[in-house]
Amino acid sequence: MVLITSEVETDPTIYKNNYYSLYPSVHMVKPLTATQEISLSYSRRVNRPGLHALNPFSKYSDPLNLMVGNPELLPEYINSMELGFASYAKKLTVTGSLYYRYMTNMIQRVKDIDSNGVASVTWSNVDEANFYGLELMTIYKPVKWWRIMLSFNLSQTIIKSTSGESELNNSGISWSSNMTQTFTLSKGWSSQ
């Protein structure tokens, strides 16, 4: 079943793309105690390329940096799994999760610079990407009008791609943390 067919009048190629697929989601929660639970989830999603990424005509707004779409671009598919834990108390909530995401046809920007120094940017599908991670979040309410939220995320990304006879692999580890404080003021006002 083909859902999208496109063509360019000056090019005899007809581009077809079939997005028909199943996208299941399953989320299970098991209470351990009255204030603690574990969860397990799986979902499959699709990210379809936008029109700017598909449009084969160059954008010439900057003569040294051209942007051209790729009409052969495929959608990227993401399979996501997560194992979580949550603990709730009157003033303190702690949640944590381990996650894994497997992506196929990952869409990436590709830049090529010609001998005249003109950069041309387009989009391409890489073979696959794996994302592993740990996420932690704590919400503490020392008093009724003050809420403190701390979050931390640690992840590893591994990208594998083949271009012609070359293997283009990349990996990296990243982390981020955040602290937000919310103060509830009178008459429905709050400050963050």
Side-chain angles (χ1 to χ4, degrees):
M1 172 196 256
V2 174
L3 297 178
I4 293 181
T5 302
S6 61
E7 60 184 292
V8 178
E9 288 183 8
T10 58
D11 181 0
T13 307
I14 295 177
Y15 302 98
K16 298 180 178 184
N17 214 326
N18 180 353
Y19 294 131
Y20 182 76
S21 187
L22 295 176
Y23 305 104
S25 289
V26 177
H27 186 78
M28 298 180 290
V29 177
K30 168 78 172 149
L32 299 175
T33 67
T35 60
Q36 295 180 339
E37 64 186 28
I38 59 170
S39 61
L40 183 64
S41 66
Y42 167 81
S43 66
R44 183 168 192 257
R45 300 185 311 271
V46 62
N47 287 333
R48 297 170 183 89
L51 183 59
H52 65 283
L54 294 169
N55 187 352
F57 298 106
S58 295
K59 291 183 182 177
Y60 291 100
S61 58
D62 178 351
L64 295 178
N65 293 290
L66 306 179
M67 191 168 283
V68 60
N70 176 0
E72 296 179 350
L73 203 56
L74 299 171
E76 56 187 16
Y77 294 95
I78 304 116
N79 291 285
S80 182
M81 290 156 265
E82 187 172 310
L83 175 64
F85 170 80
S87 177
Y88 308 99
K90 186 174 181 179
K91 293 187 174 194
L92 181 69
T93 299
V94 178
T95 61
S97 64
L98 295 171
Y99 61 86
Y100 170 68
R101 294 181 187 108
Y102 174 68
M103 186 181 292
T104 56
N105 295 334
M106 184 178 180
I107 297 172
Q108 290 286 294
R109 284 185 177 197
V110 177
K111 182 183 271 191
D112 183 44
I113 301 175
D114 68 14
S115 60
N116 295 324
V118 176
S120 185
V121 176
T122 189
W123 286 262
S124 181
N125 294 106
V126 299
D127 293 339
E128 65 181 44
N130 293 279
F131 303 89
Y132 305 88
L134 166 69
E135 190 170 44
L136 301 169
M137 186 171 63
T138 301
I139 298 172
Y140 178 57
K141 294 178 87 172
V143 290
K144 186 177 178 180
W145 49 269
W146 183 19
R147 186 178 87 154
I148 304 166
M149 184 180 80
L150 298 168
S151 65
F152 175 78
N153 189 3
L154 174 68
S155 63
Q156 179 179 22
T157 303
I158 302 170
I159 299 173
K160 296 180 182 179
S161 178
T162 305
S163 177
E165 296 180 16
S166 303
E167 283 192 23
L168 307 170
N169 300 329
N170 193 6
S171 65
I173 294 176
S174 64
W175 67 273
S176 65
S177 63
N178 187 35
M179 181 173 95
T180 305
Q181 296 188 55
T182 304
F183 301 94
T184 303
L185 308 172
S186 64
K187 299 182 182 180
W189 286 85
S190 64
S191 174
Q192 200 171 66

